[in-house]
Amino acid sequence: MTERKALYELLHRSHHARPEDLPRLARGLAENLGAIDMRLYLVDHEQRELLLMDDGGATDQAPLNIDGTLAGRAYAMMRPYAADGGPGPARLWVPLLDGLERMGVVEVVTAEPVPADRVGEFEAACALLAELVVTRSAYSDTVELVRRRAPMQMAAEMLRAQLPPLTFSTGSMTISGILEPSYDVGGDAFDYAVNGDIAHLALFDAVGHGSQGGMRAVMLASLALAAYRNARRAGHDLIPTYHHIDTTVRDHDPRGLITGVLAELDQRSGRLRVISAGHPSGLVLRRGRVATVLPTPTALPVTLGEHREPVVVEEALEPGDVVLFHTDGITEARSADGTAFGVDRLVDFAVRALADDSPLPEAARRLVHAILAYQDDQLGDDATVLLVRWHRPAGQPST
């Protein structure tokens, strides 16, 4: 069967498919493409392991580590990797991508190694499977349950349901965010939207953390997210948006406190506009060094905004620049001997994560995992990173 017919048949069969049916559809797709099998592996929320999805959802098969496996390399680098030749069937690991959002990998099993000119067929097939994983997740808990490796606390359940996809790209710009801990977050949250040439970005850190203090913080962060989206969709500029968030949260909880960053990036010109509401400073990384430390604060934290007018700062980005926004849970993380992670170490780790030309979401993953390892995976506060890479002016060809 031709690639086109195979994809058409998968799409036709998917109209009434449950998430539990996706492994069966993948096997049928494999047969139509001349493969022995195609098996779906979904990434866990901490992005450490790849978990097999079987007909019933999760299986008892041991997960595959992202670090140190060929499957994990396909996930990390977002490109196919073939296993070395040997006895038995050949294997090709293909990333499961919804745009640039990494959902996991697909194991393609074939009688003979896949020729280079046919790898693209399996990439296209896996792209359609990724779309089905995402769309079917809206109607069922199956995909979500496969991805969980620990109980999700109530605060984290509420907050994670409101976050956008971790990664998005327009070709001119890539946005990638990550939030830890995965199962017991407090008041950290991020959001973004791309409307025309303008990318809208926000990062919030509400006071409170964990399953005890986290619920109030999550309620505050939820209000901030909703008010941010409401103002953005009403066409407000940065300063009116800040005031809308400030008023909304203060009316609900006058004693609540949220620091945050509101930003806009014009993809045509690379002009970055930022309000930092009592939040840690953003960094502009350029060719392996810090080009700019963005001024902070330029506004008071949310609920105190009536006392001082915010100031918008502007920065001109160059193609290839990476803007790094983070919460204080990053720089205030402490090692076993009490040494703070600090800004200098953050810069060093970020530059190293970006140095090998790894995709931006992989750089974010490595950066946060390095911070977790620094304090033996025992976070004292949420750790959230939002990375933005501006590639080139919109509409201009890459070089």
Side-chain angles (χ1 to χ4, degrees), residues 158-334:
M158 289 182 63
L159 185 59
R160 286 195 169 276
Q162 301 177 67
L163 298 181
L166 297 183
T167 301
F168 177 71
S169 176
T170 65
S172 298
M173 171 210 62
T174 302
I175 303 168
S176 193
I178 190 167
L179 187 158
E180 287 287 350
S182 294
Y183 300 102
D184 194 17
V185 298
D188 281 14
F190 66 87
D191 194 30
Y192 64 82
V194 180
N195 298 316
D197 291 317
I198 304 300
H200 306 265
L201 311 157
L203 186 63
F204 300 109
D205 183 0
V207 173
H209 171 75
S211 55
Q212 298 301 315
M215 188 56 70
R216 182 189 181 199
V218 165
M219 295 296 292
L220 290 171
S222 298
L223 275 172
L225 282 172
Y228 173 63
R229 290 166 179 167
N230 184 246
R232 188 182 71 213
R233 291 163 184 169
H236 293 334
D237 200 358
L238 284 178
I239 289 178
T241 295
Y242 166 82
H243 283 304
H244 185 63
I245 298 169
D246 182 75
T247 301
T248 300
V249 176
R250 185 170 60 250
D251 287 348
H252 173 77
D253 188 347
R255 298 165 65 181
L257 195 68
I258 305 173
T259 67
V261 172
L262 305 176
E264 292 179 352
L265 174 60
D266 188 326
Q267 297 179 80
R268 298 166 301 179
S269 64
R271 185 182 69 159
L272 179 70
R273 304 174 66 242
V274 183
I275 290 176
S276 177
H279 200 78
S281 182
L283 305 171
V284 178
L285 305 178
R286 180 177 300 151
R287 294 186 287 276
R289 63 178 181 83
V290 177
T292 304
V293 177
L294 297 171
T296 190
T298 65
L300 293 175
V302 166
T303 71
L304 301 177
E306 61 184 342
H307 299 294
R308 193 176 81 190
E309 188 68 7
V311 174
V312 177
V313 299
E314 296 191 6
E315 178 71 16
L317 301 185
E318 296 182 6
D321 282 358
V322 174
V323 183
L324 190 161
F325 295 119
H326 63 92
T327 56
D328 58 12
I330 300 285
T331 51
E332 294 177 5
R334 295 188 178 273

